[in-house]
Amino acid sequence: MYRIRFHARGGQGIKTASRILGTAFFLEGYEVQDSPRYGAERRGAPIFAYVRASKKIINERGIINKPDLVIVTDDSLLLLPIAGVLLGVTERTVLLIATDEATELWKKRLNLQGLVLSISTQAAVKGHAGLPLLGAACVGAAAQLVGAISKSALEEAIHDQLQPLGKVIVEESLAAAMTAYDQIEAYAGCTTEREDPSADSYESPNWIDLPFEDAGTSAPYIHAAATTLNVKTGVWRSLRPVIDLQQCNRCALCNSYCPDGVISLDAKGYPQIDYQHCKGCLICLAQCPLHAIDAIPEPGQEGEIS
Amino acid sequence: MIRKLLTGNGAAAWGARLARVDYIPAFPITPQTEIIETIAHWIGEGRMDSRMTTLESEHSMITSAGAAATTGVRTFTATSSQGLLYGMEMIYTVAGWRAPFVLVNVSRALSAPITLEPDHNDVLAARDSGFLQIHCATCQEVLDSVLLAYRLGEDEKVRLPVIVNLDGFYLSFTREPVEIPDDAKVDQFLPPYDPGETRFRAGDPISQGVAVLGGSQYSYFRYETHLASLNALEIFEEASKEFEELFGRSYQPVESYRTEDAEVIFFMMGSFATKAKDAVDRLRSVGRKVGLLRPRLLRPFPAKAIVRALAGKKGIAVIDQNLSLGKGGILHTELCSALYSMADKPVMVSFIGGLGGRDITREEFYEMVAVTMKAIETGEVPTPRLLYGKEELIQMKGLQSIAKVEQRKGRGKR
């Protein structure tokens, strides 16, 4: 059985990417299970998705603990322990990262023994919005890496999953996926199905008897106020809203609509964005009646959270 | 017939579409919302000839479903978790009305603390309401169970609403290959609903839900509803037989997997049972005599079939993905009562696992067999075991230590 895990930020299209890969496997005659997993359904929040594919009925379910292939569309997740990108990654796991840094650097930084491959975000095919189509590129690469998916199955899967979004998106995604498929040809089939260990020997789950603890400890309370100040949710952001203060007429709608309360007004009534906590939802951009707010891809300028 | 990848939510929506439901009262809640979104989309495109109404709460939604069903309209609705609990007053009431409709519940653990991922405490809160309950383990089973549920609930020997339960995330958002049966065959299996004498019509008013005092009449009505629920066991088997003839898939009130010569049995409900199947196959390949028994029907409780399947077994690992606080696993309690009168009954070990969607790993299934085997050998049954590892507690302590630091920072030492 192939076990593949995708890691991304909400809004990067990873649920769709995993479904394209799942559909492509299905078209090639595999039994398939694909599923996204998310908590906060918000742009920028770390999410993951997984795909299982096998010639036999799949009875496994849920999180993949020992992946054959891990795909990461946002390299900032690799340094975020809560994203769990490296869970169960061994020397036989292939890691595919969308990054502009050298793979050797990532291998060293993360102390990885297995094969690490990269897709350049700068060189990736861009969509009509000017952003690199990393989800589609990663699917194209993954289809090549498993060595079980033909170009025609990949193409049909992209049509199947993206048709409702219109012809332009289908064409752009096809271009991104096929380019990556070709680029990674040298590694075709290097992700293999793992032999599972025998049920005779296994690592004990190390269960414990949960001790009683009084309610002062065990009730689910967060004691301190304003703890969110310490959590830099700005790292979620993949697109940065930038306000053109020349155009701004200080209507303050952005300040009212910001769901996170990170747009404050200065003494003169001009809006200021707290980029340490702005998650990049772009509701401000949508609301601004003068179109004075633009969105630029992260990473942003030096010295700011990107 | 086509076979395609569908989520559990998509499969539930397909079940409603194929059943040609007339009316869908709706209210959104994660992880169920995709069901009503899918149906709304189909209605909008003219692919489903149904009326959908969005209500202001689950309480009104279930009232509306019950009221519609008593007029003879085929009704479908769906909810989850807190939503099911919010509508709980009407869950009991509409079952008392003997209003047959299908409610899909997408299991999600209950607050507090609040979460999105599944366990079965939500649907088990409706256990004693009069609703029948079908618990699914795969997306295919979700679609098929919606069809079976209408046959079951609408049967004149039953006339009760039915909950079809699927696990949030593990089924609701998970795509698997699902066979979508042909309309014509479904029409053959599921003809339009005819409520006969129980039809409620505005033009010919009757009184429903009358007050009864003194207890005697109340006892009559409640016990009659109980008897109707018990009838569903026989009707389920009849309907399943016909279903199998038409569609080639067999559904028994209790699913048995490799139980014939098994010594140790996993006993559990829901989608995690497929993980148990995987463990059974792997344990079998190294010579362990292990099997799985999964109640598909929880209400009515198929006690006789369970007793039959467990006769001669040495041990049972009962895995409850629920917790009756102050008692323990609900399935364990139900199974104990079913087996109490059995001679040479197997050893029963209680495990609580998968709360709030926590994974149950393959190694944990192996370990549950080892613990049960030990109980068989020694005759000593261990106390109920929460599936919870040392590392999990260490992680919890890490989080709590942050909370304590913040407590000092935030409020000063208390």
Side-chain angles (χ1 to χ4, degrees):
Chain A
M1 184 186 311
Y2 289 104
R3 299 175 178 94
I4 299 160
R5 213 169 60 210
F6 289 79
H7 292 267
R9 292 191 178 276
Q12 289 183 318
I14 211 67
K15 173 179 165 186
T16 307
S18 66
R19 284 186 169 186
I20 291 170
L21 190 67
T23 303
F25 266 120
F26 186 63
L27 292 168
E28 292 288 5
Y30 282 79
E31 292 297 304
V32 170
Q33 190 188 78
D34 60 43
S35 183
R37 185 63 77 96
Y38 35 77
E41 292 177 64
R42 285 179 286 198
R43 180 183 285 276
I47 73 158
F48 64 96
Y50 42 86
V51 178
R52 288 186 173 88
S54 172
K55 289 287 184 184
K56 295 183 199 151
I57 294 284
I58 299 173
N59 281 324
E60 283 185 17
R61 204 168 271 293
I63 295 157
I64 290 174
N65 288 317
K66 295 192 175 80
D68 305 311
L69 172 62
V70 170
I71 296 159
V72 191
T73 57
D74 187 313
D75 62 9
S76 70
L77 292 170
L78 285 159
L79 303 172
L80 202 66
I82 200 166
V85 176
L86 298 179
L87 173 74
V89 169
T90 66
E91 71 285 348
R92 61 164 304 285
T93 310
V94 178
L95 190 65
L96 176 73
I97 314 170
T99 184
D100 294 313
E101 292 191 279
T103 53
E104 283 310 312
L105 195 66
W106 283 112
K107 278 188 87 153
K108 205 172 153 189
R109 207 179 263 160
L110 303 170
N111 192 25
L112 296 169
Q113 309 304 316
L115 179 62
V116 179
L117 300 169
S118 71
I119 281 190
S120 160
T121 67
Q122 282 165 12
V125 172
K126 292 185 174 54
H128 59 286
L131 297 170
L133 299 170
L134 297 176
C138 286
V139 167
Q144 180 74 279
L145 289 171
V146 296
I149 296 171
S150 64
K151 266 193 170 179
S152 63
L154 178 60
E155 185 176 344
E156 194 181 334
I158 288 172
H159 275 284
D160 182 69
Q161 290 300 304
L162 298 180
Q163 209 120 49
L165 302 178
K167 207 175 160 190
V168 173
I169 288 180
V170 171
E171 293 304 324
E172 288 171 355
S173 302
L174 270 174
M178 293 305 167
T179 304
Y181 191 94
D182 290 337
Q183 272 171 357
I184 215 142
E185 199 177 357
Y187 296 95
C190 74
T191 292
T192 50
E193 299 175 80
R194 182 171 52 92
E195 282 289 316
D196 290 312
S198 157
D200 263 337
S201 63
Y202 62 92
E203 208 177 312
S204 161
N206 219 350
W207 292 327
I208 50 154
D209 293 323
L210 198 59
F212 168 77
E213 296 181 324
D214 67 39
T217 299
S218 66
Y221 296 152
I222 297 171
H223 295 279
T227 53
T228 48
L229 289 176
N230 297 321
V231 183
K232 307 286 188 248
T233 46
V235 299
W236 290 21
R237 198 172 55 241
S238 53
L239 287 171
R240 163 188 300 241
V242 179
I243 303 171
D244 178 356
L245 295 179
Q246 302 294 320
Q247 278 195 65
C248 173
N249 70 351
R250 294 180 282 182
C251 71
L253 276 179
C254 55
N255 161 276
S256 303
Y257 274 98
C258 175
D260 283 303
V262 299
I263 304 181
S264 54
L265 300 177
D266 68 12
K268 290 182 179 163
Y270 283 106
Q272 304 287 338
I273 299 177
D274 166 13
Y275 288 113
Q276 300 280 313
H277 294 95
C278 164
K279 296 171 185 140
C281 72
L282 304 183
I283 288 173
C284 55
L285 182 150
Q287 291 302 330
C288 178
L290 297 175
H291 307 292
I293 305 181
D294 196 8
I296 59 167
E298 294 290 0
Q301 289 131 22
E302 221 175 297
E304 290 171 330
I305 284 205
S306 58
Chain B
M1 188 272 288
I2 54 164
R3 188 167 187 264
K4 63 184 286 189
L5 293 173
L6 283 184
T7 60
N9 281 345
W14 263 105
R17 175 169 162 176
L18 289 166
R20 298 190 189 280
V21 300
D22 302 301
Y23 178 59
I24 304 125
F27 191 85
I29 182 169
T30 299
Q32 169 280 125
T33 308
E34 188 187 3
I35 299 174
I36 55 167
E37 280 175 350
T38 305
I39 291 174
H41 181 68
W42 285 336
I43 294 173
E45 287 189 332
R47 284 194 272 173
M48 240 179 113
D49 183 19
S50 313
R51 170 79 178 268
M52 177 182 274
T53 308
T54 51
L55 278 299
E56 82 285 5
S57 73
E58 288 86 355
H59 191 280
S60 304
M61 179 186 88
I62 293 162
T63 310
S64 177
T70 59
T71 68
V73 159
R74 186 169 282 159
T75 303
F76 176 87
T77 190
T79 189
S80 176
S81 190
Q82 310 298 131
L84 184 70
L85 260 62
Y86 194 69
M88 192 57 76
E89 180 184 10
M90 295 313 295
I91 287 285
Y92 276 70
T93 302
V94 297
W97 289 353
R98 307 293 296 274
F101 65 93
V102 174
L103 183 154
V104 168
N105 183 66
V106 183
S107 262
R108 163 179 156 188
L110 296 171
S111 187
I114 203 155
T115 187
L116 297 173
E117 290 155 287
D119 66 35
H120 299 148
N121 266 99
D122 61 348
V123 63
L124 288 171
R127 184 187 62 171
D128 305 331
S129 64
F131 266 76
L132 312 180
Q133 289 195 10
I134 304 177
H135 289 252
C136 302
T138 66
C139 296
Q140 181 73 62
E141 197 177 351
V142 172
L143 190 158
D144 294 345
S145 294
V146 170
L147 303 178
L148 279 163
Y150 280 108
R151 270 289 294 265
L152 197 59
E154 290 172 0
D155 193 286
E156 60 180 2
K157 289 187 185 145
V158 181
R159 290 286 157 81
L160 284 170
V162 187
I163 289 175
V164 173
N165 197 70
L166 61 136
D167 292 332
F169 287 82
Y170 292 91
L171 289 180
S172 73
F173 301 152
T174 300
R175 293 198 315 167
E176 295 177 334
V178 175
E179 276 187 27
I180 302 172
D182 295 333
D183 291 2
K185 270 193 180 176
V186 175
D187 291 344
Q188 197 184 329
F189 177 73
L190 193 62
Y193 172 45
D194 176 11
E197 289 300 302
T198 58
R199 187 193 299 272
F200 186 87
R201 271 172 297 191
D204 183 15
I206 52 172
S207 183
Q208 196 158 33
V210 287
V212 287
L213 297 175
S216 166
Q217 291 144 21
Y218 183 84
S219 303
Y220 170 83
F221 286 124
R222 295 304 283 176
Y223 212 79
E224 281 294 330
T225 309
H226 169 61
L227 294 174
S229 177
L230 291 177
N231 281 346
L233 284 169
E234 193 189 326
I235 306 299
F236 187 86
E237 292 196 41
E238 281 174 25
S240 296
K241 210 174 149 209
E242 204 180 310
F243 189 93
E244 188 180 0
E245 281 162 14
L246 279 165
F247 306 108
R249 290 183 292 279
S250 167
Y251 292 108
Q252 298 307 308
V254 187
E255 183 190 18
S256 300
Y257 185 72
R258 304 186 82 166
T259 54
E260 308 77 31
D261 64 336
E263 292 174 353
V264 176
I265 301 282
F266 292 120
F267 188 79
M268 65 189 300
M269 298 192 301
S271 66
F272 274 21
T274 69
K275 292 161 77 85
K277 273 189 184 178
D278 179 63
V280 165
D281 288 345
R282 291 170 191 279
L283 287 162
R284 284 271 177 181
S285 71
V286 295
R288 308 285 158 74
K289 291 186 173 174
V290 183
L292 163 74
L293 200 64
R294 174 174 72 90
R296 184 173 271 128
L297 270 183
L298 186 80
R299 284 293 178 271
F301 192 66
K304 277 185 189 161
I306 290 169
V307 168
R308 227 175 10 249
L310 293 177
K313 305 303 175 201
K314 289 183 179 167
I316 308 167
V318 187
I319 307 169
D320 271 289
Q321 204 175 351
N322 66 73
L323 183 58
S324 173
L325 307 182
K327 174 65 176 79
I330 292 170
L331 213 49
H332 180 254
T333 310
E334 300 248 316
L335 186 63
C336 286
S337 80
L339 298 195
Y340 183 74
S341 307
M342 187 189 213
D344 298 323
K345 52 180 161 286
V347 165
M348 279 178 274
V349 187
S350 170
F351 297 93
I352 310 292
L355 297 184
R358 179 199 178 274
D359 193 23
I360 301 178
T361 65
R362 186 184 292 159
E363 290 76 16
E364 289 186 313
F365 281 104
Y366 297 165
E367 188 75 359
M368 285 188 269
V369 171
V371 170
T372 307
M373 296 286 279
K374 195 180 167 200
I376 294 166
E377 280 157 27
T378 61
E380 284 172 34
V381 179
T383 53
R385 157 67 61 200
L386 173 70
L387 305 190
Y388 191 85
K390 194 178 169 187
E391 291 73 19
E392 289 171 277
L393 187 59
I394 291 169
Q395 196 183 25
M396 190 70 218
K397 289 292 141 195
L399 293 169
Q400 286 176 331
S401 73
I402 294 169
K404 275 179 188 164
V405 170
E406 286 177 348
Q407 189 176 345
R408 277 201 294 276
K409 271 203 298 199
R411 284 188 185 170
K413 222 169 181 181
R414 292 200 294 182

